[in-house]
Short mmCIF file of all heavy atoms in Angstrom, two decimals:
data_model
loop_
_atom_site.label_atom_id
_atom_site.label_comp_id
_atom_site.label_asym_id
_atom_site.label_seq_id
_atom_site.Cartn_x
_atom_site.Cartn_y
_atom_site.Cartn_z
N SER F 313 184.91 185.42 -86.19
CA SER F 313 185.11 185.99 -87.52
C SER F 313 186.61 186.15 -87.77
O SER F 313 187.42 186.17 -86.83
CB SER F 313 184.39 187.33 -87.65
OG SER F 313 184.57 187.86 -88.95
N GLU F 314 186.98 186.28 -89.04
CA GLU F 314 188.37 186.54 -89.42
C GLU F 314 188.65 188.03 -89.25
O GLU F 314 187.90 188.87 -89.75
CB GLU F 314 188.62 186.12 -90.86
CG GLU F 314 188.37 184.63 -91.12
CD GLU F 314 188.65 184.28 -92.57
OE1 GLU F 314 189.71 184.66 -93.06
OE2 GLU F 314 187.79 183.64 -93.19
N MET F 316 191.01 189.90 -90.59
CA MET F 316 191.50 190.60 -91.77
C MET F 316 191.11 189.83 -93.02
O MET F 316 191.11 188.60 -93.04
CB MET F 316 193.03 190.76 -91.72
CG MET F 316 193.55 191.58 -90.56
SD MET F 316 195.35 191.76 -90.61
CE MET F 316 195.55 192.66 -92.15
N LYS F 317 190.76 190.58 -94.06
CA LYS F 317 190.45 190.00 -95.36
C LYS F 317 191.10 190.88 -96.42
O LYS F 317 191.29 192.09 -96.23
CB LYS F 317 188.95 189.92 -95.60
CG LYS F 317 188.23 188.96 -94.66
CD LYS F 317 188.54 187.50 -94.98
CE LYS F 317 187.85 187.06 -96.25
NZ LYS F 317 187.98 185.61 -96.49
N THR F 318 191.45 190.26 -97.55
CA THR F 318 192.09 190.98 -98.66
C THR F 318 191.27 190.77 -99.92
O THR F 318 190.78 189.66 -100.19
CB THR F 318 193.53 190.48 -98.86
OG1 THR F 318 194.28 190.65 -97.66
CG2 THR F 318 194.20 191.23 -100.00
N VAL F 325 184.91 189.66 -102.56
CA VAL F 325 185.37 189.13 -101.28
C VAL F 325 184.15 188.91 -100.38
O VAL F 325 183.16 189.64 -100.47
CB VAL F 325 186.37 190.10 -100.61
CG1 VAL F 325 185.69 191.39 -100.19
CG2 VAL F 325 187.02 189.43 -99.40
N THR F 326 184.21 187.89 -99.54
CA THR F 326 183.11 187.54 -98.63
C THR F 326 183.60 187.60 -97.19
O THR F 326 184.58 186.95 -96.83
CB THR F 326 182.55 186.15 -98.94
OG1 THR F 326 182.04 186.13 -100.28
CG2 THR F 326 181.43 185.78 -97.97
N LEU F 327 182.92 188.40 -96.40
CA LEU F 327 183.18 188.50 -94.96
C LEU F 327 182.17 187.63 -94.23
O LEU F 327 180.97 187.70 -94.51
CB LEU F 327 183.08 189.95 -94.48
CG LEU F 327 183.87 191.00 -95.29
CD1 LEU F 327 183.69 192.38 -94.66
CD2 LEU F 327 185.34 190.63 -95.37
N THR F 328 182.63 186.82 -93.30
CA THR F 328 181.77 185.87 -92.58
C THR F 328 181.72 186.23 -91.12
O THR F 328 182.74 186.57 -90.50
CB THR F 328 182.29 184.43 -92.75
OG1 THR F 328 182.36 184.12 -94.15
CG2 THR F 328 181.36 183.43 -92.08
N CYS F 329 180.51 186.12 -90.55
CA CYS F 329 180.29 186.40 -89.13
C CYS F 329 179.45 185.26 -88.55
O CYS F 329 178.31 185.05 -88.98
CB CYS F 329 179.57 187.74 -88.95
SG CYS F 329 179.36 188.23 -87.22
N TRP F 342 175.44 194.31 -90.32
CA TRP F 342 176.75 194.70 -90.86
C TRP F 342 176.82 196.23 -90.91
O TRP F 342 175.88 196.88 -91.36
CB TRP F 342 176.97 194.12 -92.25
CG TRP F 342 177.21 192.64 -92.26
CD1 TRP F 342 176.31 191.67 -92.48
CD2 TRP F 342 178.47 192.00 -92.03
NE1 TRP F 342 176.89 190.43 -92.40
CE2 TRP F 342 178.24 190.60 -92.13
CE3 TRP F 342 179.77 192.44 -91.77
CZ2 TRP F 342 179.23 189.66 -91.97
CZ3 TRP F 342 180.77 191.51 -91.61
CH2 TRP F 342 180.51 190.14 -91.70
N SER F 368 176.04 184.89 -90.80
CA SER F 368 175.76 185.91 -91.82
C SER F 368 177.02 186.17 -92.64
O SER F 368 178.14 186.12 -92.11
CB SER F 368 175.28 187.20 -91.17
OG SER F 368 175.05 188.20 -92.15
N THR F 369 176.83 186.42 -93.91
CA THR F 369 177.94 186.74 -94.81
C THR F 369 177.66 188.04 -95.53
O THR F 369 176.50 188.34 -95.88
CB THR F 369 178.17 185.61 -95.83
OG1 THR F 369 176.98 185.43 -96.62
CG2 THR F 369 178.53 184.31 -95.15
N LEU F 370 178.70 188.82 -95.73
CA LEU F 370 178.64 190.05 -96.52
C LEU F 370 179.60 189.90 -97.69
O LEU F 370 180.81 189.78 -97.50
CB LEU F 370 179.03 191.25 -95.65
CG LEU F 370 179.25 192.57 -96.40
CD1 LEU F 370 177.97 193.03 -97.08
CD2 LEU F 370 179.78 193.65 -95.45
N THR F 371 179.04 189.89 -98.88
CA THR F 371 179.84 189.76 -100.10
C THR F 371 179.94 191.12 -100.78
O THR F 371 178.91 191.73 -101.09
CB THR F 371 179.23 188.73 -101.06
OG1 THR F 371 179.17 187.46 -100.40
CG2 THR F 371 180.07 188.61 -102.33
N ILE F 372 181.17 191.58 -100.98
CA ILE F 372 181.43 192.86 -101.65
C ILE F 372 181.88 192.56 -103.06
O ILE F 372 182.90 191.88 -103.27
CB ILE F 372 182.49 193.66 -100.89
CG1 ILE F 372 182.05 193.88 -99.44
CG2 ILE F 372 182.75 194.99 -101.58
CD1 ILE F 372 183.10 194.52 -98.58
N GLY F 382 188.79 199.37 -95.57
CA GLY F 382 188.58 199.91 -94.23
C GLY F 382 187.98 198.88 -93.30
O GLY F 382 188.00 197.68 -93.58
N TYR F 383 187.42 199.36 -92.16
CA TYR F 383 186.85 198.49 -91.15
C TYR F 383 185.38 198.21 -91.44
O TYR F 383 184.62 199.11 -91.81
CB TYR F 383 186.97 199.13 -89.75
CG TYR F 383 188.32 198.96 -89.12
CD1 TYR F 383 189.20 200.03 -89.03
CD2 TYR F 383 188.71 197.72 -88.63
CE1 TYR F 383 190.45 199.88 -88.45
CE2 TYR F 383 189.96 197.56 -88.06
CZ TYR F 383 190.82 198.63 -87.97
OH TYR F 383 192.05 198.48 -87.40
N TYR F 384 185.02 196.96 -91.26
CA TYR F 384 183.63 196.53 -91.28
C TYR F 384 183.31 195.94 -89.90
O TYR F 384 184.15 195.27 -89.28
CB TYR F 384 183.38 195.49 -92.37
CG TYR F 384 183.42 196.08 -93.76
CD1 TYR F 384 184.64 196.33 -94.40
CD2 TYR F 384 182.26 196.41 -94.44
CE1 TYR F 384 184.70 196.87 -95.67
CE2 TYR F 384 182.30 196.96 -95.72
CZ TYR F 384 183.51 197.19 -96.33
OH TYR F 384 183.57 197.73 -97.58
N VAL F 385 182.09 196.17 -89.44
CA VAL F 385 181.68 195.74 -88.10
C VAL F 385 180.52 194.76 -88.23
O VAL F 385 179.53 195.05 -88.92
CB VAL F 385 181.26 196.94 -87.23
CG1 VAL F 385 180.82 196.45 -85.84
CG2 VAL F 385 182.40 197.93 -87.10
N ILE F 399 186.38 193.88 -88.68
CA ILE F 399 187.08 193.15 -89.74
C ILE F 399 187.72 194.18 -90.67
O ILE F 399 187.02 195.06 -91.21
CB ILE F 399 186.11 192.25 -90.52
CG1 ILE F 399 185.41 191.28 -89.55
CG2 ILE F 399 186.84 191.47 -91.60
CD1 ILE F 399 184.33 190.44 -90.23
N TRP F 400 189.03 194.08 -90.85
CA TRP F 400 189.75 195.01 -91.73
C TRP F 400 189.81 194.42 -93.12
O TRP F 400 190.28 193.31 -93.31
CB TRP F 400 191.15 195.28 -91.20
CG TRP F 400 191.99 196.07 -92.18
CD1 TRP F 400 192.92 195.60 -93.02
CD2 TRP F 400 191.91 197.48 -92.41
NE1 TRP F 400 193.47 196.60 -93.77
CE2 TRP F 400 192.85 197.80 -93.41
CE3 TRP F 400 191.14 198.51 -91.87
CZ2 TRP F 400 193.03 199.09 -93.87
CZ3 TRP F 400 191.34 199.81 -92.33
CH2 TRP F 400 192.28 200.08 -93.32
N LEU F 401 189.34 195.20 -94.08
CA LEU F 401 189.38 194.80 -95.49
C LEU F 401 190.45 195.60 -96.20
O LEU F 401 190.40 196.85 -96.23
CB LEU F 401 188.02 195.00 -96.15
CG LEU F 401 187.97 194.67 -97.65
CD1 LEU F 401 188.29 193.20 -97.90
CD2 LEU F 401 186.62 195.04 -98.25
#
Side-chain angles (χ1 to χ4, degrees):
S313 181
E314 300 180 49
M316 298 182 63
K317 295 288 287 188
T318 302
V325 68
T326 299
L327 310 181
T328 303
C329 184
W342 288 96
S368 178
T369 60
L370 169 63
T371 300
I372 303 173
Y383 279 106
Y384 289 80
V385 179
I399 303 174
W400 172 260
L401 177 62

